[in-house]
Amino acid sequence: VVNRPAYQAYLREKNCLATAIYFEARGETLLGQQAVAEVILARTRTPGRPKTICGVVYQGSNRKTGCQFSFTCDGIADRVRNRAAWKQAMKIATHVMRTGGKVDAVAGGATFYHADYVSPGWASRMVKVASIGQHVFYRPQRGRHL
């Protein structure tokens, strides 16, 4: 027997994760896309952050400078144009959600990342844990949550 509301919630969460993977990392390798997904799941377990994937992905998107993921507040319609990349994002979302982002973690426990062509002010206060493709991944220093 399928719990319909729970299954619908799962599908919503998976769609939010796949959307973030697609718009944030579709040009990256599988590992790079998985790492972005792991950051999102890690944030759901971070005190002071939303506890849902959709909550994390869209946190602050209603403010011009508050979005956590640029695609959520860039003013560009989030339309999937590359079906193969979308299918891949859905596969990665399914895998990372099933494993909780822990089994074959590639992001080193990161809860932050940025593209390697930008230098955000917060990065200097973080511990760099990985560079994968065009993304650099970080975690806060011990005992700190941002």
Side-chain angles (χ1 to χ4, degrees):
V1 176
V2 174
N3 177 337
R4 210 155 189 67
Y7 185 64
Q8 292 299 323
Y10 164 78
L11 291 178
R12 257 190 319 279
E13 292 286 279
K14 185 166 96 168
N15 190 67
C16 285
L17 187 56
T19 300
I21 295 165
Y22 179 88
F23 287 106
E24 290 285 307
R26 74 178 169 274
E28 294 292 325
T29 64
L30 287 175
L31 285 181
Q33 291 178 52
Q34 181 176 327
V36 166
E38 288 175 12
V39 165
I40 293 166
L41 257 64
R43 284 187 178 195
T44 66
R45 298 185 293 268
T46 301
R49 295 271 182 188
K51 300 300 174 209
T52 66
I53 292 168
C54 293
V56 165
V57 169
Y58 293 99
Q59 183 180 17
S61 62
N62 56 340
R63 301 187 313 258
K64 276 190 176 179
T65 59
C67 59
Q68 301 296 300
F69 300 96
S70 57
F71 83 92
T72 67
C73 62
D74 61 8
I76 300 169
D78 298 334
R79 288 203 181 93
V80 171
R81 299 186 192 285
N82 181 328
R83 288 280 155 211
W86 175 252
K87 188 175 176 182
Q88 182 69 29
M90 287 294 277
K91 255 176 137 170
I92 293 166
T94 299
H95 170 74
V96 171
M97 287 175 72
R98 278 191 185 141
T99 64
K102 293 179 180 179
V103 171
D104 48 1
V106 296
T111 51
F112 290 81
Y113 70 91
H114 66 79
D116 63 5
Y117 51 84
V118 298
S119 298
W122 54 259
S124 64
R125 297 186 310 272
M126 299 282 190
V127 176
K128 181 178 169 183
V129 294
S131 286
I132 304 171
Q134 287 191 312
H135 289 119
V136 184
F137 296 84
Y138 301 86
R139 66 166 176 74
Q141 294 174 13
R142 298 241 180 266
R144 295 191 63 193
H145 298 290
L146 296 177

